């Protein structure tokens, strides 16, 4: 028996004690959904701390598998996976399977790495290594190198089956989306907030998005750009919902009542309050922003305090300790950098003052806000928000019921 399979490993989940089952189920569901989206409907088996995805009778390396590998590389919670065979539980079939797989080994040294979690298997791991290694040497005349081999032939002898593979692919790690609850991410078309959204997704939170814009007073290009960014980010969580919220009417009221240097702080407090309404609707636990300490004049500790004072839920800032270069490098890795690099009209630059308050005062903000009645505009902004669903073909329809 030589069945083409992918063995999927998830590191951190295994450490979660009694929550482990919950995490495994979430990852199982996420893998299943991501693959169903590309038309793969075979069962993904959950066995002994790993998942086994059966590729059926197709040849390993079939081009249709490339898309499966690509998907698996982007599912949070997967640490690595190997493409190979499931073989019968005896040394003869293990050797046969390894010989078939080793046809594609690059020239150069190799080693065999056996993990035997089923101690009932009659040979020890070193014995399997020796026998299989010798068979490869006899057949392909490749040199063994235990310390720094070009290729590693991996054999896993588990209770559920015996799995062998050579090609091992790195996943992105983290936790499966949905396992840590839900958040609303305040997303702009810039570099930072998409990266912040990714990092929080990778820690298992499902991310809803809120984008605030000043259309029709400026162009809609920030909306289009955010739409593209979310398209990319949805590869990591499969389905995303974004509220495109028009706030120009609120901004006009702020401009009329506030000293110019306070505008941006007041806009941020408005964003936070509106985002909380969206969060309540989707039962989210926290907000997320792409701020990093001291990156720009508005992102000082004091200003963050002034913004957070308007929030009733935690405001998470996953990029707080990162440099701009580190953020952009991560944006490049996850594929949002080129989209964010396009120019766009930002709502905060709409009637932007020349100078920005770097050390705001809560008392002063309260004083200004006491003179503005936003109630009507808040409801209008939510009511007029466009909802964009970026997802696969199984997406559900979502409607705006802030009426
Ligand atoms: P980014 O690259 O994410 O735009 P930035 O360095 O340009 O960040 P700011 O423009 O000061 O920083 O924004 C700080 C954070 O406020 C952003 O990371 C984002 O979370 C939120 N934010 C800013 N503008 C908007 C917007 N128009 N809609 C939603 N959130 C926004
Ligand atoms: Mg910005």
């Amino acid at each position: 028996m030589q069945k083409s399979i992918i063995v999927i490993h998830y590191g951190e989940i295994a450490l979660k004690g009694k929550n482990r089952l919950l995490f495994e189920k979430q990852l199982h569901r996420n893998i299943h959904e991501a693959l169903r989206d590309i038309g793969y409907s075979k069962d993904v088996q959950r066995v002994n701390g790993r998942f086994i995805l059966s590729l059926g009778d197709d040849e390993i390396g079939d081009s249709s598998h490339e898309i499966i590998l690509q998907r698996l590389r982007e599912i949070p919670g997967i640490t690595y996976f190997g493409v190979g065979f499931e073989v019968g539980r005896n040394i003869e079939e293990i050797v046969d399977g390894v010989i078939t797989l080793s046809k594609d080994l690059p020239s150069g040294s190799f080693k065999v790495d056996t993990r035997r979690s089923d101690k009932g298997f009659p040979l020890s791991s070193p014995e399997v290594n020796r026998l299989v290694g010798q068979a490869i040497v006899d057949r392909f005349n490749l040199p063994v190198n235990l310390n720094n081999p070009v290729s590693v032939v991996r054999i896993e002898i588990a209770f559920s089956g015996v799995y062998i593979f050579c090609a091992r692919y790195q996943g992105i790690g983290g936790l499966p989306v949905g396992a840590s609850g839900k958040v609303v991410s305040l997303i702009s078309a810039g570099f930072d907030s998409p990266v912040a959204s990714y990092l929080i997704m990778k820690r298992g939170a499902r991310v809803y998005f809120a984008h605030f814009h000043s259309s029709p007073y400026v162009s809609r290009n920030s909306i289009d750009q955010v739409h593209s960014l979310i398209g990319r980010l949805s590869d990591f969580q499969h389905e995303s919902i974004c509220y495109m919220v028009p706030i120009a009417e609120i901004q006009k009221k702020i401009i009329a009542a506030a000293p110019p240097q306070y505008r941006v702080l007041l806009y941020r407090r408005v964003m936070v309050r509106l985002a909380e309404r969206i969060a309540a609707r989707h039962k989210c636990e926290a907000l997320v922003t792409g701020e990093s300490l001291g990156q720009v004049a508005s992102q000082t500790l004091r200003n963050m305090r002034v913004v957070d004072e308007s929030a009733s839920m935690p405001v998470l800032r996953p990029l707080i300790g990162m440099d701009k270069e580190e953020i952009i490098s991560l944006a490049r890795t996850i594929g949002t950098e080129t989209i964010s690099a396009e120019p766009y009209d930002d709502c905060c630059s709409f009637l932007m003052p020349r100078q920005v308050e770097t050390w705001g005062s809560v008392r002063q903000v309260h004083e200004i806000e006491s003179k503005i009645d936003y109630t009507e505009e808040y409801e209008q902004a939510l009511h007029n928000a466009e909802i964009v669903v970026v997802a696969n073909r199984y997406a559900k329809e979502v409607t705006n019921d802030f009426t």
Side-chain angles (χ1 to χ4, degrees):
M1 174 191 71
Q2 278 179 14
K3 222 168 82 185
S4 298
I5 48 142
I6 300 180
V7 190
I8 302 171
H9 281 270
Y10 41 93
E12 196 166 355
I13 297 178
L15 306 172
K16 290 288 170 187
K18 65 180 189 321
N19 284 333
R20 175 174 166 165
L21 191 65
L22 221 70
F23 285 99
E24 283 181 342
K25 280 189 171 161
Q26 186 69 55
L27 182 57
H28 187 250
R29 199 175 315 137
N30 294 356
I31 293 173
H32 195 74
E33 283 192 0
L35 296 182
R36 189 175 69 148
D37 190 32
I38 52 171
Y40 179 89
S41 54
K42 290 198 197 102
D43 193 32
V44 179
Q45 262 181 288
R46 183 156 52 93
V47 290
N48 299 139
R50 45 172 92 59
F51 292 112
I52 305 296
L53 202 155
S54 163
L55 293 174
D57 303 328
D58 311 345
E59 282 284 303
I60 289 175
D62 188 312
S63 64
S64 67
H65 295 160
E66 217 18 70
I67 185 161
I68 296 180
L69 305 188
Q70 186 50 36
R71 278 287 158 129
L72 294 178
R73 276 193 201 105
E74 296 189 333
I75 298 177
I78 295 178
T79 44
Y80 68 89
F81 54 95
V83 185
F85 291 132
E86 180 175 355
V87 295
R89 185 180 291 275
N90 58 71
I91 190 67
E92 293 76 23
E93 288 195 54
I94 294 175
V95 168
D96 280 355
V98 168
I99 294 294
T100 312
L101 270 185
S102 303
K103 284 201 301 266
D104 299 326
L105 284 186
S107 61
S109 58
F110 79 98
K111 79 166 181 180
V112 182
D113 180 1
T114 303
R115 302 278 158 93
R116 187 185 61 143
S117 49
D118 173 9
K119 302 294 182 205
F121 189 78
L123 298 169
S124 69
S125 299
E127 284 168 338
V128 176
N129 287 345
R130 238 184 346 263
L131 287 168
V132 174
Q134 191 58 52
I136 296 174
V137 171
D138 291 347
R139 181 68 180 262
F140 300 106
N141 200 23
L142 295 175
V144 174
N145 181 341
L146 299 182
N147 295 321
N148 192 19
V150 173
S151 329
V152 181
V153 174
R154 294 173 202 276
I155 303 171
E156 295 179 1
I157 303 172
F159 290 102
S160 52
V162 178
Y163 314 109
I164 57 176
F165 54 93
C166 304
R168 178 169 143 159
Y169 301 83
Q170 238 13 75
I172 57 173
L175 299 170
V177 170
S180 310
K182 300 187 268 188
V183 298
V184 170
S185 175
L186 283 72
I187 188 167
S188 78
F191 290 106
D192 304 329
S193 36
V195 174
S197 309
Y198 164 77
L199 287 177
I200 210 82
M201 243 175 230
K202 189 165 163 278
R203 293 309 301 164
R206 173 160 292 285
V207 177
Y208 290 78
F209 297 92
H211 173 63
F212 302 93
H213 62 85
S214 312
S215 167
Y217 298 93
V218 303
S219 83
R220 285 176 59 88
N221 64 1
S222 77
I223 299 174
D224 297 338
Q225 201 152 311
V226 165
H227 196 150
S228 307
L229 285 166
I230 291 171
R232 174 62 192 129
L233 291 170
S234 296
D235 289 340
F236 303 105
Q237 69 168 8
H238 193 57
E239 179 178 315
S240 301
I241 294 173
C242 182
Y243 288 72
M244 307 288 186
V245 189
I247 56 164
E249 298 309 322
I250 300 175
Q251 292 179 288
K252 287 203 297 197
K253 278 209 155 169
I254 291 173
I255 289 157
Q261 70 273 22
Y262 264 93
R263 282 178 197 164
V264 172
L265 265 180
L266 289 158
Y267 295 169
R268 286 285 144 73
R269 285 169 64 93
V270 164
M271 290 182 191
V272 161
R273 292 194 187 104
L274 291 170
E276 281 198 333
R277 294 281 301 275
I278 296 167
R281 187 184 170 196
H282 292 285
K283 302 191 169 57
C284 299
E285 306 295 335
L287 305 181
V288 177
T289 79
E291 288 160 301
S292 135
L293 184 58
Q295 191 194 82
V296 290
S298 59
Q299 296 175 14
T300 61
L301 281 177
R302 171 59 72 82
N303 283 356
M304 290 180 201
R305 194 173 152 198
V306 171
V307 170
D308 287 10
E309 196 269 339
S310 67
S312 65
M313 47 178 69
V315 180
L316 308 178
R317 297 179 169 89
L319 310 184
I320 196 72
M322 288 172 75
D323 295 342
K324 193 77 185 184
E325 291 72 31
E326 292 174 294
I327 297 169
I328 292 187
S329 150
L330 192 46
R332 202 170 296 133
T333 310
I334 64 172
T336 55
E337 189 231 359
T338 50
I339 309 173
S340 296
E342 295 291 319
Y344 61 93
D345 287 321
D346 183 49
C347 76
C348 290
S349 52
F350 172 56
L351 300 178
M352 178 75 165
R354 219 177 278 277
Q355 84 277 43
V356 174
E357 181 57 62
T358 56
W359 211 252
S361 135
V362 172
R363 191 183 49 76
Q364 200 169 344
V365 161
H366 282 178
E367 219 172 278
I368 303 164
E369 284 180 347
S370 69
K371 293 189 220 125
I372 315 174
D373 180 9
Y374 302 116
T375 328
E376 178 74 6
E377 285 78 8
Y378 272 27
E379 296 313 314
Q380 279 303 314
L382 290 168
H383 178 71
N384 293 329
E386 294 163 52
I387 299 182
V388 171
V389 180
V390 178
N392 61 86
R393 55 207 158 105
Y394 299 98
K396 291 182 281 302
E397 179 90 357
V398 181
T399 51
N400 183 348
D401 58 8
F402 285 111
T403 45

